[in-house]
Amino acid sequence: MTLVIGEISYTNILPLYYYLERNKLIENGCSFVPQIPSQLNEGMSKGVVDVGGISSFSYGEHFDKYHLLPNLSVSSHREVGSIFLFSKVPIEELNEKKIALTSSSATSINLLKVILHHFYQYQVDYHVTKPNFHEMMLDHDACLLIGDDAIVTKWNHEKDIYRYDLGQLWYEHTGFPMTYAVFAVRNQVIENQGALLEALYEQFLMSKKKSQHDQFQPMITEIRNLFGGSSSFWNEYFAGLCYDLEMRQLEGLRYYYKLAYEQGLLTKKVESIYLWDSLDHCHSI
């Protein structure tokens, strides 16, 4: 038996993978695929990836084919700290302007479209490009970056550029937290590899709890060696993230899916969010 595990290659999801007993999981038939969210979304939809972190929007596209692993996500109650709209003009002046969107994600680009359409009533000319701030801003009025690309750009961007955190914008207009990534499993895997899935799930929960218990410190030391940044920055960053998937997050997701469907971003209405259960195997809300 094998289980292909998708692993988003951004620091924001690292606490859920950091303490996994990888050698043990690999011995039991698991393999890991580290990629950006858009690649993992595609891998899951094609059956190449079995389980792991994917964009929340991608779950909305395939909600009838996947289940979510409970108590696991990458969310924020307000600011997320790594999903930014960078703009040459204030957000109040972005109507009918050109915005470059990162090619790395699905949740964030559609979140921006939802925010500007439903809450600002803007008509915007969007273009998906590679995530490079300077190239994106050459021919556009604003750009959206996520993950480590957004963090590094925040550290280095020009002072005359406006910056908006999408998690904060979402909260200001809805009062909901925003969930950017979820842990999904294909329905076929639940039927065929339940025991291995349960072992992996326990490992994810263990990594989350140990990361929180350690206040992310060993992980932050490694991140600073790779990306730089101060201890205070990374401490504040991880303190602003939530790795649970509780009722409030699910309510926010349902509202996000509702608005995305009304806007035509989702072709199917998300009738239910299906949660995997190690005992009952699945239930919906």
Side-chain angles (χ1 to χ4, degrees):
M1 294 196 307
T2 61
L3 198 62
V4 180
I5 303 165
E7 184 173 6
I8 296 176
S9 53
Y10 289 145
T11 55
N12 59 9
I13 205 170
L14 188 55
L16 302 176
Y17 289 85
Y18 190 73
Y19 288 107
L20 293 184
E21 298 177 6
R22 291 175 184 260
N23 291 337
K24 182 177 179 180
L25 289 169
I26 292 171
E27 288 173 3
N28 289 331
C30 295
S31 61
F32 291 85
V33 179
Q35 292 179 330
I36 61 174
S38 59
Q39 293 170 326
L40 291 180
N41 298 342
E42 182 179 4
M44 281 280 289
S45 68
K46 291 182 177 180
V48 178
V49 176
D50 296 317
V51 59
I54 61 169
S55 297
S56 300
F57 185 84
S58 185
Y59 173 78
E61 292 179 304
H62 306 281
F63 74 95
D64 52 346
K65 299 178 182 178
Y66 303 161
H67 280 70
L68 297 185
L69 301 185
N71 306 313
L72 297 172
S73 78
V74 178
S75 309
S76 69
H77 291 287
R78 296 195 180 192
E79 294 182 0
V80 61
S82 55
I83 302 177
F84 294 117
L85 175 68
F86 297 94
S87 178
K88 298 174 182 176
V89 299
I91 195 170
E92 292 80 10
E93 299 177 16
L94 277 176
N95 191 32
E96 299 183 348
K97 294 294 196 295
K98 294 171 60 178
I99 298 181
L101 303 174
T102 177
S103 58
S104 303
S105 177
T107 299
S108 302
I109 64 175
N110 288 293
L111 177 60
L112 178 64
K113 290 179 180 180
V114 163
I115 289 172
L116 294 183
H117 175 78
H118 285 278
F119 306 135
Y120 290 88
Q121 290 77 52
Y122 286 174
Q123 297 294 323
V124 176
D125 186 10
Y126 295 107
H127 300 269
V128 177
T129 69
K130 293 181 179 180
N132 182 297
F133 173 78
H134 293 290
E135 292 183 6
M136 296 167 95
M137 296 296 272
L138 283 176
D139 300 314
H140 298 85
D141 302 288
C143 72
L144 175 69
L145 289 171
I146 73 166
D148 302 331
D149 296 318
I151 291 173
V152 173
T153 301
K154 175 188 174 183
W155 290 342
N156 299 302
H157 81 278
E158 294 87 346
K159 293 182 179 180
D160 59 344
I161 295 293
Y162 296 86
R163 186 182 76 244
Y164 299 93
D165 187 300
L166 262 61
Q168 182 65 26
L169 289 176
W170 172 255
Y171 175 80
E172 288 174 359
H173 289 283
T174 69
F176 285 119
M178 184 61 204
T179 300
Y180 311 95
V182 292
F183 277 65
V185 55
R186 294 190 299 110
N187 293 345
Q188 296 93 324
V189 174
I190 296 173
E191 298 171 2
N192 301 327
Q193 302 190 43
L196 190 53
L197 176 62
E198 186 170 351
L200 174 64
Y201 177 63
E202 292 300 323
Q203 286 277 314
F204 280 136
L205 290 180
M206 177 275 296
S207 185
K208 179 180 83 168
K209 292 176 181 177
K210 185 166 177 56
S211 294
Q212 292 170 334
H213 179 269
D214 293 344
Q215 298 182 319
F216 310 105
Q217 291 310 303
M219 186 183 68
I220 286 175
T221 298
E222 289 192 20
I223 292 172
R224 291 186 65 202
N225 290 335
L226 287 172
F227 293 100
S230 65
S231 295
S232 60
F233 168 81
W234 290 110
N235 286 330
E236 182 178 352
Y237 175 63
F238 283 108
L241 294 175
C242 177
Y243 294 100
D244 303 324
L245 188 61
E246 298 177 341
M247 190 55 64
R248 194 64 177 161
Q249 276 107 334
L250 292 169
E251 289 173 353
L253 268 183
R254 282 199 294 266
Y255 189 49
Y256 170 61
Y257 293 145
K258 174 181 180 293
L259 296 181
Y261 174 73
E262 291 175 356
Q263 194 172 339
L265 303 174
L266 284 173
T267 59
K268 295 183 294 185
K269 187 176 182 180
V270 180
E271 301 287 353
S272 298
I273 295 178
Y274 297 98
L275 297 177
W276 173 81
D277 187 286
S278 60
L279 297 177
D280 299 330
H281 297 295
C282 60
H283 65 278
S284 64
I285 61 168

